[in-house]
Amino acid sequence: MAEYEAVIGLEVHAELKTNSKIFCGCTTEFGGAPNTHVCPICLGMPGVLPVLNRNVVEYAIKAGLALNCEIAEFSKFDRKNYYYPDLPKNYQISQYDLPIAKNGYLEIEVDGQTKRIGITRLHMEEDAGKLIHQGDDIAEAEYSLVDYNRTGVPLIEIVSEPDLRSPVEARLYMEKLKAILQYCDVSDCKMQEGSLRCDANVSVRPKGSTEFGTKTEIKNLNSFKALQRALEYEIKRQIEILEDGGRIVQETRSWDESKGITITLRSKEEAHDYRYFPEPDLVPLVIDREWVERVRQTLPELPDARRRRLMEEYGLPAYDAMVITGSKALADYFDQCVEKFSDAKTVSNWIMGELLRLLNAHNLEVEDSPVKPEGLAELLALINKGTISGKIAKTVFEEMFETGKGAEEIVKEKGLVQITDEKVLAPIVDKVIEENPKSVEDYRNGKDRAFGFLVGQVMKATKGKANPQLVNKLLRERL
Amino acid sequence: MNLYELTAHELHELLQKKEVSSREITQSVLERIEEVDDSVKAYVTLTKEKALQQADKVDKSLASGETLGPLAGIPMGFKDNICTKGIKTTCSSKILENFVPPYNATVVERLEEAGAICLGKLNMDEFAMGSSNENSAFFPTRNPWDLDRVPGGSSGGAVAAVAADEAIYTLGSDTGGSIRQPASFCGVVGLKPTYGLVSRFGLVAFASSLDQIGPITKDVTDCALVLQAIAGHDPYDSTSANLPVPDYRQALVPDIKGLRLGIPREYFGEGLDAEVKEAVNQAISKLEELGACCEEVSLPHTEYALPAYYLIAPAEASSNLARYDGVKYGYRTEEAKDTVSMYMKTRREGFGPEVKRRIMLGTYALSSGYYDAYYLKALKVRTLIKRDFDRAFEKYDALIAPTSPTVAFKIGEKANDPLAMYLSDICTIPVNMAGLPAISIPCGFSQGLPVGLQIIGKPFDEVTILRVAYTFEQNTDYHRAKPALEVKR
């Protein structure tokens, strides 16, 4: 049996977070009652004309630079013609042969190795609206409603080279891409709101072969999990067909999340002929180099650079640095926390441990965390000063998360201050020794475990508030 | 003399001297419409009430001592592909029969600001596709000089209205000659401005890279005044030029001494009617007599303009007209069981044959596998045509040619022969392909029907062609001739 490898390329659509749409002044805000964020221009009514939003170009340049692309000096818009009720003009204004950016790359870490994934092109286009089918599914719907609020929201489409070799690589690429776009502040990349969407092209071939197999395209993968699962399924499906001596049909497929399979959407024979031609209502886009340089100056520190900085500046392990810089918001959280509490590794432990655990449990984004970086720093300082123990701190943190109160406030309210006074602790230690003669004897006979038991009893008696070092010291003195 | 027979600048003087009111002028034109429009059939929609209200408003400001702009209080009309807020804009198509735009075209805004009185909307070939006005989904408009003949197209209604004194002036649109060819057929002045001089915002698109709005007037002076009011950059149209607008009244100089005029030989070839040719040649002699230096010039790629146009214009049209699908506005078929059948039936029932013909042509020309051979090739031809003109303009200040190879033809004569119909725009199409300005003015008669003289200028040099036109007009009487329209009393 031959061994196969997958060849994967991704087409990612990201909505840009400009305030207004790409060709008119309507708001791009998500939500809103249907058809309230519209005007004659984005509705493509008779006689209206598009006027390009300069900010969209600026954001596209920024994203292009962040993805190491060449920014075109001369670029233009084209019409992509196809009929669909959510597309008011029945053509989409997009870019075809002269996109604003091309020939870039991004890097992912695979098994400890850095792998470079090529970016073929990045282009601007307008989004379409949304169809709401009144019925169980498209086929059964008696009628459909259209909401044009999203129509004309600016998109960038980022097309990768077929450099990805596994579903995991595809997911890592997508995660890195998301992080970069978020770092640049050009898109909020909310996959659940559709502001980041992905289509995947996939084929398989015998390992070692340089020729491409016949590919299929899987449309509208709207989560990292869906991307990975759909690719896993599709690769398996293709290999099975080849193993059985069959032939892959070039077609567009869609991912059925509930069944966990991909299904045929349309075959190559029914494929669209988009009849691209230059958009005559817009003049070609000439981008002067000064503008590109000005945009370059506004580029923030990107994930890779930031990861390296965290490792060099704070001595964070590679794993920590990767997790922390996976999202800009998380990295910002880290930086702000370290500013107030300089033990970076402790901060990183808490962020990766308690913070992410509670955020996940409450389904919250870092930005919405009830405990701000200053709050966490305050808590860590309390541990450092010996006011509370690390164990107590975890309870305090949960309380902070639930109530939004400060660490000191909670510690005071609940009387959680650590007992560091020998005079207070000594009688308790004495009492524990008195009440556990068996363990005392065991310890004296060389059983170390018995010592731990006695410490535990002291902690229990003090509800965990006793300073562990002090307990150790007092116990040893007495035994 | 009836008020409706006068030009805008003549009426302006009377208004300023308070010899007449705008209401009187407006009523005079409305009565004229009532008298003759049953025969001419220029109007699709009349906005009588609105016109009188606007007139009263102008009269009020006049009474309060305000100085009026040159077009204030003057009644006019719009071709029905120019969007008017709250007023039906049908493109003479069933598919937009009841469409009322919630916005004004930029030219409408500008004329309203100038105090213009809007009488209504004028008939046209459906979506501006045609050369005779027979493609209107509603009714054909007739040529006021001979009611059995076409007024030309596609701005036929807008032109016939001016020729029949049913409006003092009108605005039309010109994609391949749709202002100039009917102006020639009906003996009025029609100007196609440089592409980008006048905003297209609110003009229902036929072929976006060729369409341009322009004035249709009784004389060259009015043409300059109207152009002044509508020209200039519009932030709502990215293709509108951001250049200062010249003072077109300064172009009205009755002197062309020393101007060099090129006579493109290719416009005088086969298919040009002998009497039309004679009238145009006489006009050229007149221009020479007035001091211009006229010389023959060659524009070698002229013969390819028509076929290239009939690829580019339908290609753009097939895309521009895709939005009429029954989903959002306009006509929707009564019976359809799903989206695709709704699209197909709506468009089959909503569009007329010429529009369908061009949509199919354009769809074909853009489809994969044919794009390079047709659309792309046509774009290359377009560049060659532009270069021909560039070269000619290195030597000449303007070019002189016939506007149409024939005078107005009979209704029905070419209706079933699209290719014969397309040939009637052969002298005007190259100008749109090159984005140049050109004016058609009356220069004679053949068989009792008007003949048009076309003056083509350099980009954004409307001043020179207006000057040539004005000089010719000041030294001839053709523009004063009126059709002997039989009036139903």
Side-chain angles (χ1 to χ4, degrees), chain B residues 32-92:
Chain B
R32 173 68 175 174
I33 294 171
E34 216 156 278
E35 279 172 10
V36 303
D37 205 51
D38 272 351
S39 322
V40 178
K41 301 196 84 63
Y43 281 89
V44 172
T45 304
L46 262 179
T47 52
K48 197 172 160 182
E49 294 306 314
K50 190 182 177 195
L52 290 170
Q53 276 168 22
Q54 283 178 325
D56 288 344
K57 215 175 124 198
V58 172
D59 285 333
K60 221 182 241 168
S61 38
L62 187 63
S64 71
E66 274 179 48
T67 320
L68 294 184
L71 299 177
I74 311 293
M76 55 78 64
F78 293 104
K79 184 174 179 179
D80 210 20
N81 58 354
I82 297 172
C83 287
T84 40
K85 188 174 174 175
I87 300 167
K88 272 202 291 186
T89 299
T90 71
C91 285
S92 291

Side-chain angles (χ1 to χ4, degrees), chain A residues 200-364:
Chain A
N201 286 297
V202 56
S203 62
V204 296
R205 64 183 176 195
K207 232 176 187 155
S209 162
T210 49
E211 272 171 49
F212 291 124
T214 306
K215 66 175 183 185
T216 60
E217 185 185 23
I218 314 170
K219 282 275 183 199
N220 278 327
L221 297 163
N222 54 14
S223 72
F224 295 125
K225 201 176 104 193
L227 171 66
Q228 190 171 342
R229 284 181 67 207
L231 283 170
E232 280 163 1
Y233 173 87
E234 182 60 18
I235 290 164
K236 191 163 153 268
R237 189 187 72 87
Q238 292 191 8
I239 292 174
E240 276 169 12
I241 291 175
L242 294 178
E243 291 282 294
D244 289 348
R247 217 170 46 85
I248 308 297
V249 183
Q250 185 175 335
E251 61 185 356
T252 303
R253 300 178 70 85
S254 74
W255 169 242
D256 186 325
E257 182 80 43
S258 56
K259 295 193 185 119
I261 57 167
T262 62
I263 46 176
T264 301
L265 210 60
R266 57 176 180 269
S267 69
K268 192 190 177 189
E269 283 68 37
E270 326 160 38
H272 282 124
D273 177 358
Y274 290 118
R275 288 176 284 117
Y276 279 101
F277 75 102
E279 166 58 271
D281 287 332
L282 288 168
V283 288
L285 198 55
V286 179
I287 297 167
D288 75 67
R289 297 298 96 183
E290 258 176 60
W291 189 14
V292 175
E293 286 318 305
R294 276 203 308 277
V295 176
R296 201 189 294 279
Q297 301 306 315
T298 69
L299 275 184
E301 185 183 34
L302 293 170
D304 290 341
R306 196 154 182 178
R307 184 171 46 98
R308 283 194 291 275
R309 178 169 65 82
L310 294 195
M311 290 166 70
E312 283 160 20
E313 201 170 307
Y314 299 108
L316 280 193
Y319 177 79
D320 290 37
M322 198 175 73
V323 174
I324 298 279
T325 56
S327 120
K328 177 168 188 286
L330 203 59
D332 287 346
Y333 194 103
F334 173 84
D335 273 349
Q336 284 165 33
C337 200
V338 168
E339 231 170 75
K340 296 256 158 66
F341 185 81
S342 60
D343 180 354
K345 180 57 188 157
T346 302
V347 171
S348 149
N349 287 345
W350 274 79
I351 288 177
M352 296 197 306
E354 295 306 295
L355 179 68
L356 285 183
R357 184 178 66 81
L358 288 176
L359 287 173
N360 283 337
H362 290 81
N363 207 4
L364 285 174

Side-chain angles (χ1 to χ4, degrees), chain A residues 32-50:
Chain A
N35 299 309
T36 53
H37 299 170
V38 296
C39 73
I41 297 170
C42 54
L43 288 176
M45 294 187 83
V48 301
L49 297 169

Side-chain angles (χ1 to χ4, degrees), chain A residues 136-169:
Chain A
D136 293 339
D137 58 57
I138 294 182
E140 298 301 314
E142 205 178 316
Y143 61 96
S144 303
L145 303 168
V146 207
D147 177 5
Y148 291 113
N149 280 355
R150 203 178 63 185
T151 300
V153 168
L155 292 178
I156 46 175
E157 178 174 339
I158 301 150
V159 181
S160 84
E161 292 284 310
D163 288 346
L164 299 159
R165 290 290 171 271
S166 73
V168 170
E169 287 187 17

Side-chain angles (χ1 to χ4, degrees), chain A residues 40 44-51 79 81 83-85 88-91 148 273 275-278 280-283, chain B residues 83 103 200-203 208 235 237-239 319-320 322-325 328-329 339 343 347 363 366-368 371 375:
Chain A
M45 294 187 83
V48 301
L49 297 169
V51 174
R79 288 189 187 175
N81 294 282
Y83 279 79
Y84 207 68
K89 302 181 293 287
N90 287 319
Y91 60 79
Y148 291 113
D273 177 358
R275 288 176 284 117
Y276 279 101
F277 75 102
D281 287 332
L282 288 168
V283 288
Chain B
C83 287
Y103 46 89
R200 290 186 294 119
F201 184 86
L203 171 68
S208 310
D237 177 358
S238 326
T239 64
S319 174
N320 283 330
R323 71 193 67 194
Y324 310 108
D325 58 5
K328 305 162 293 281
Y329 44 74
T339 316
Y343 283 156
R347 290 167 67 80
T363 305
L366 287 176
S367 50
S368 76
Y371 181 91
Y375 185 77

